[in-house]
Amino acid sequence: MSGRAVSGRPESERPVSGRPEDRAARPAVREPLWRDLVGDVLRRERLAQERTLKDVADAARISMPYLSEVERGRKEASSEVLAAAAQALGLGLADLLALAQGELVRITSLTAGRGRGPSGSRFDGLCLAA
């Protein structure tokens, strides 16, 4: 089966019953999608530079409608497209991904305080080696 309920809605959108086993089986908060985070960063950076979609799309050599779809999280862009869009905004691909990762940490730390230790997140950006 394709993960769709009889009603035609995806399983993730079906109402959760009051049974404890149903509530425990599904997370209370949906994790943000990477494409949404990257798109938000691209749009925020473009607007901060007061540039148009057309300007950035032309500089990145991608179509304006495609860049719009990427910014809205509707398209899962390739690393080449992300690198081109980032470069058009004066960023490296690593900069773009670091900004998106920071946004992911910020968003998940707001909602992840349940049972993950004092910081509210399993990962706080630190790596220790023995």
Side-chain angles (χ1 to χ4, degrees):
M1 181 122 188
S2 68
R4 292 218 173 256
V6 176
S7 67
R9 292 177 21 196
E11 290 178 22
S12 62
E13 293 178 10
R14 282 191 279 168
V16 178
S17 75
R19 297 182 312 205
E21 62 272 13
D22 288 345
R23 285 180 298 203
R26 205 166 329 157
V29 178
R30 186 177 70 87
E31 294 272 342
L33 297 176
W34 185 247
R35 68 176 183 244
D36 290 329
L37 296 167
V38 171
D40 289 344
V41 169
L42 286 172
R43 176 168 285 172
R44 188 171 50 245
E45 289 296 317
R46 179 177 61 79
L47 294 174
Q49 295 177 21
E50 299 181 351
R51 294 176 64 189
T52 64
L53 267 171
K54 181 171 179 19
D55 175 43
V56 175
D58 288 348
R61 300 176 57 103
I62 57 180
S63 76
M64 188 175 67
Y66 189 74
L67 178 58
S68 174
E69 294 280 298
V70 170
E71 282 189 357
R72 290 184 288 143
R74 304 271 175 127
K75 296 288 182 187
E76 192 84 47
S78 69
S79 58
E80 291 88 355
V81 168
L82 294 178
Q87 185 176 18
L89 292 166
L91 301 170
L93 180 59
D95 299 321
L96 173 64
L97 300 181
L99 289 167
Q101 189 266 344
E103 190 67 11
L104 176 62
V105 168
R106 185 188 69 76
I107 290 169
T108 56
S109 69
L110 294 174
T111 60
R114 296 172 295 278
R116 289 195 177 172
S119 71
S121 176
R122 291 185 309 175
F123 308 103
D124 61 4
L126 297 176
C127 178
L128 302 176

